[in-house]
Amino acid sequence: MNISVLIYHIITSLWTRSQYAHFFGNISTLCFFLVYIPQIYMVFSLRSTEGFSLSSAKLKLLGSAFLCVNSIFKGDSLPLILYGFLNTVELIFLLLPFFLFNGEWKPLLYIGVVFIPLFICKFMPELIPFTDYIKPITQLMSNIPQLYQCMKVGTTRYVSMFSLHLHFGGSIFGFMMLIILQNFSFYSWFIYGNSFLQAFSVYIAAAWFGELRFFDAIEEENENENTSDGLNITLFTFNEEEQELDNKSSLDSDNEML
C-alpha cells in the first residue's frame, strides 16, 4: 500500500472531518487569545514604549471592543466573546505603559472608546450589522502605523516575535479549519488572511534589518540599555574631570600673571 494512502487512512480513522476542524479552530482561537501577552511582557520588561506604535494599539482596541460587545449582544459563541474580551483587556494593558513610562495621559482617555460599542448596541442595535465590519477594518489598518514605526526607528527589536508567531500560527490553523470545513466565506478568510499578513509583513521588515529571530531579545535589550547608561555616566564623569582641569589651568595662569 502506498505510504501516503496509509497515512491518510490512519488520519481519517482517528477523527472525523468536523473533529479535525474543531481541533484546529480551537488552537487558532487559543493563539488569538494570547496574541498580545508577549508584547505586554516585552514593553513592561523594557519599561519602554520605544518602537511600539500607539496608533496601532488604539486601532486594535477599537476593533476588539466592537467585536466583544457586538458578540455579546448578538449571542455569539463563547470563544468569540472571550476572544474579543481578552484582546480588549490586553490592549488596555498595552496603552498603560505610555502613561507609566512616558507620562502621556491621553492614552488613558482613549480607553473610554470601549463604551462606544456598548452605547451603539444598547440604543442603536440596528447598526450592529454595520459595526461588525469595524473589527476587520481596524485590524487591517492597525499594521500600517506599526510598520511605519519600525521603519522610523530602523528596527523591529521592540516588536515581540512571540506575538507575531501567535498571529501567524493562529492564521495558519484558521486556514486549516476553513479548508477542512470547505468554508469559503470572504469574511472568515479575510480575518485569518489579515492576521497572516500582519505577521508576515513584520517578518519581512525584521529580515530587511537583519533581525529575523524566533525569540524576543529582552535581556539583550536590557543589557544594551544598561551599557548605554554606563557609557553616559562615564562620559559625564570624564567631562566633569576635564572641566575641573580646565578650571585649574585657568586658575594657575591667573596666579602666574599676578
Side-chain angles (χ1 to χ4, degrees):
M1 181 182 292
N2 191 301
I3 295 179
S4 60
V5 175
L6 178 62
I7 294 174
Y8 174 79
H9 280 296
I10 293 174
I11 292 175
T12 53
S13 64
L14 294 175
W15 281 346
T16 63
R17 178 185 291 268
S18 61
Q19 286 176 320
Y20 276 110
H22 186 70
F23 173 73
F24 290 132
N26 284 339
I27 295 179
S28 175
T29 302
L30 180 62
C31 288
F32 290 126
F33 276 174
L34 307 174
V35 70
Y36 298 116
I37 291 179
Q39 186 67 57
I40 294 171
Y41 176 74
M42 170 175 272
V43 171
F44 277 90
S45 295
L46 296 176
R47 300 183 64 82
S48 170
T49 60
E50 184 179 0
F52 183 71
S53 171
L54 175 60
S55 299
S56 178
K58 286 179 176 179
L59 286 169
K60 289 177 179 178
L61 177 60
L62 180 64
S64 64
F66 269 98
L67 174 65
C68 176
V69 177
N70 284 10
S71 299
I72 293 173
F73 275 83
K74 292 190 302 180
D76 286 332
S77 62
L78 182 61
L80 188 60
I81 295 173
L82 285 176
Y83 167 45
F85 175 75
L86 290 175
N87 275 191
T88 301
V89 173
E90 290 167 14
L91 288 162
I92 288 174
F93 272 96
L94 278 176
L95 290 181
L96 291 178
F98 289 93
F99 170 73
L100 296 175
F101 306 140
N102 301 352
E104 301 178 34
W105 54 269
K106 289 183 179 180
L108 294 183
L109 296 179
Y110 191 81
I111 295 175
V113 301
V114 299
F115 295 104
I116 295 177
L118 186 62
F119 177 84
I120 292 176
C121 289
K122 182 69 176 177
F123 298 104
M124 293 177 285
E126 65 276 6
L127 295 180
I128 291 179
F130 301 100
T131 57
D132 275 341
Y133 289 98
I134 292 179
K135 168 62 177 176
I137 291 173
T138 54
Q139 186 178 347
L140 179 64
M141 295 174 58
S142 65
N143 200 43
I144 298 173
Q146 184 57 65
L147 279 175
Y148 172 77
Q149 187 71 10
C150 290
M151 297 301 172
K152 182 179 178 181
V153 298
T155 182
T156 60
R157 294 197 311 270
Y158 304 107
V159 178
S160 171
M161 284 290 117
F162 281 127
S163 281
L164 294 179
H165 300 335
L166 288 170
H167 264 300
F168 187 80
S171 63
I172 294 298
F173 284 113
F175 287 149
M176 294 172 70
M177 177 192 68
L178 295 177
I179 291 171
I180 292 173
L181 293 177
Q182 296 183 345
N183 183 335
F184 301 106
S185 164
F186 172 79
Y187 184 83
S188 299
W189 280 89
F190 178 84
I191 291 293
Y192 292 119
N194 186 53
S195 292
F196 176 86
L197 288 176
Q198 281 194 13
F200 189 72
S201 61
V202 182
Y203 286 152
I204 294 296
W208 176 266
F209 291 121
E211 301 168 347
L212 191 59
R213 60 206 181 276
F214 184 81
F215 297 102
D216 292 325
I218 297 176
E219 293 182 1
E220 182 181 338
E221 290 300 324
N222 281 327
E223 289 177 2
N224 291 339
E225 186 68 24
N226 292 335
T227 302
S228 176
D229 291 342
L231 289 173
N232 289 335
I233 292 172
T234 303
L235 183 60
F236 178 74
T237 305
F238 175 77
N239 288 336
E240 278 192 330
E241 291 175 352
E242 188 177 23
Q243 184 66 36
E244 288 178 2
L245 288 173
D246 289 341
N247 292 338
K248 185 177 180 181
S249 299
S250 178
L251 184 61
D252 290 341
S253 298
D254 291 342
N255 290 334
E256 288 177 2
M257 291 178 65
L258 292 173

